[in-house]
Amino acid sequence: MARATIDDVARAAGVSTFTVSRAMRGKEHVAAATRAKVLKAAQELNYTASRSAASLASGRTNRVALLSRERISGWFIGELMEGLVDVLAPAGYDLTIYRIGSAEERSGFFTNLPANRNADALVVTGFAVNDDEKRALTRMNMPIVSVNASDLTYCQASIVIDDEGSEASVVRYLAALGHRRFCYVGRLDPLTGDDWGFDARTRGYQDEVTELGLHDCGMFFVDATDRASIRQTLASILALPERPTAMCVWSDQLAVVILNVLRAMGVRVPQDISVFGFDGSDAAATVGLSTMTQPARRIGRLAAQRALTLIDGKTPEETHTVVPTALEPGSTAGPAPRTAEPTALRVGFG
């Protein structure tokens, strides 16, 4: 026996498919008697409203798309998606994910624009959009919300943290503890070039070290998945004539690996060197890592709220939102070693 369709219910109830859709979804402006007749017909036909039928009636897909260049399994994207779903699911919306982890995937997305027919709004995170891509996004004629992007010309709303200022706060905090020799360990990004954007955290580190007259022992970039590469890099740092007493690390995930390698080398943390991460992930709390926390799940919730507001044809009360970060001291950062003879510095941190 063939499965009943919305047309079957409409004929049985003597109404239009549009009315069936509104009645089944509990929408307003449907008379109580009509709603009862539709529900009775649907029950007798064993009909359940499908997402496609609702889309035809409303002109919406009831989906929001996420376009990301980060690893989907990474902490930030995982938390961001949790926040998106927190808001979208109760509103009856699904989340569709598009990953552009390579130049080929990126080209494919902007050539085919699959979200144009599969979503009502687009959330973009993790990369800079070039001029051709801006034009393509504009032609999609759908609401766009950006997350942690510096260019806001192509979107109607944005949610960001101050990566640069946050990393500068880490440097100021460590300087207040007496550290004057610093190094930075970042990820070796396989997707390089201006088209993918730059790492604002590195600039925050560099500018603050210079501003405070501290000594930069170097910036080192490693493959976060290659433990041998990390060991070699740390060995070169420890072999410096004047090795750093404070290490700023791009992410908590990378910092946790560094902690384990340093301790295996016999380096005491924080007695010999302080290590500071970035993110505020579960991994940081587990090992007592000092970190700069960013509320990724809250960012996802805000992005979803902005998307739903725009889908409804409204303007968000706040179109550009800067979400504050918070410095979270842990057991991996402490006063500079006495042998380091730190210079007196007047610094503040917030």
Side-chain angles (χ1 to χ4, degrees):
M1 183 177 177
R3 182 178 178 181
T5 67
I6 192 172
D7 291 319
D8 296 328
V9 177
R11 281 194 295 270
V15 298
S16 68
T17 56
F18 179 80
T19 300
V20 172
S21 176
R22 293 190 66 81
M24 295 289 291
R25 291 183 293 136
K27 296 294 186 179
E28 298 177 353
H29 308 302
V30 178
T34 301
R35 189 186 309 278
K37 187 164 52 174
V38 168
L39 295 177
K40 182 175 183 294
Q43 184 178 22
E44 291 175 348
L45 293 170
N46 197 27
Y47 171 79
T48 302
S50 68
R51 177 60 57 85
S52 59
S55 298
L56 289 172
S58 66
R60 294 181 181 176
T61 65
N62 280 53
R63 297 188 190 95
V64 169
L66 172 65
L67 178 63
S68 171
R69 63 148 291 186
E70 298 290 340
R71 286 190 312 119
I72 295 173
S73 61
W75 174 83
F76 179 80
I77 293 300
E79 287 293 299
L80 183 74
M81 289 192 293
E82 290 280 3
L84 288 166
V85 173
D86 285 345
V87 173
L88 296 178
Y93 276 75
D94 291 333
L95 178 65
T96 301
I97 303 164
Y98 295 98
R99 184 194 67 185
I100 52 170
S102 66
E104 291 75 20
E105 289 179 351
R106 179 173 180 166
S107 175
F109 178 88
F110 283 100
T111 298
N112 300 317
L113 295 176
N116 197 32
R117 56 186 177 273
N118 291 324
D120 301 320
L122 179 67
V123 177
V124 181
T125 181
F127 69 102
V129 177
N130 64 37
D131 290 339
D132 288 339
E133 291 166 347
K134 289 177 193 175
R135 286 189 285 270
L137 291 174
T138 300
R139 290 196 300 271
M140 292 172 70
N141 195 29
M142 69 163 57
I144 298 174
V145 179
S146 69
V147 172
N148 287 340
S150 56
D151 184 354
L152 309 179
T153 59
Y154 65 92
C155 61
Q156 292 77 49
S158 65
I159 316 293
V160 302
I161 66 166
D162 183 0
D163 275 294
E164 188 172 335
S166 296
E167 195 64 57
S169 291
V170 171
V171 173
R172 290 197 298 274
Y173 175 81
L174 290 167
L177 293 179
H179 295 275
R180 69 180 184 88
R181 295 202 299 272
F182 285 70
C183 74
Y184 183 90
V185 181
R187 65 172 178 174
L188 186 62
D189 193 346
L191 305 176
T192 57
D194 292 340
D195 276 355
W196 292 101
F198 72 98
D199 186 352
R201 295 175 199 174
T202 60
R203 187 163 69 182
Y205 164 84
Q206 288 178 306
D207 288 352
E208 200 62 26
V209 164
T210 300
E211 177 69 21
L212 296 178
L214 304 168
H215 178 57
D216 180 14
C217 298
M219 299 182 66
F220 305 85
F221 297 89
V222 298
D223 181 348
T225 65
D226 186 348
R227 201 176 183 88
S229 169
I230 294 173
R231 281 199 305 270
Q232 292 165 5
T233 299
L234 292 177
S236 66
I237 293 173
L238 296 176
L240 291 171
E242 283 191 301
R243 75 185 194 186
T245 64
M247 179 180 294
C248 299
V249 185
W250 180 80
S251 73
D252 290 345
Q253 178 189 12
L254 179 55
V256 168
V257 177
I258 286 173
L259 283 176
N260 291 332
V261 173
L262 285 174
R263 286 165 176 165
M265 291 176 167
V267 178
R268 299 173 302 164
V269 178
Q271 293 89 343
D272 298 326
I273 188 168
S274 288
V275 177
F276 224 99
F278 198 113
D279 277 335
S281 66
D282 294 340
T286 301
V287 301
L289 177 69
S290 298
T291 185
M292 177 63 72
T293 65
Q294 60 168 326
R297 188 163 185 165
R298 183 187 170 212
I299 291 171
R301 289 171 179 160
L302 290 172
Q305 291 165 1
R306 302 293 185 272
L308 293 180
T309 298
L310 291 167
I311 289 171
D312 286 339
K314 302 173 184 176
T315 301
E317 292 183 6
E318 187 175 56
T319 56
H320 178 61
T321 303
V322 180
V323 179
T325 54
L327 194 146
E328 186 68 37
S331 61
T332 64
R338 292 181 180 179
T339 55
E341 298 179 355
T343 52
L345 293 168
R346 290 185 178 181
V347 298
F349 50 89

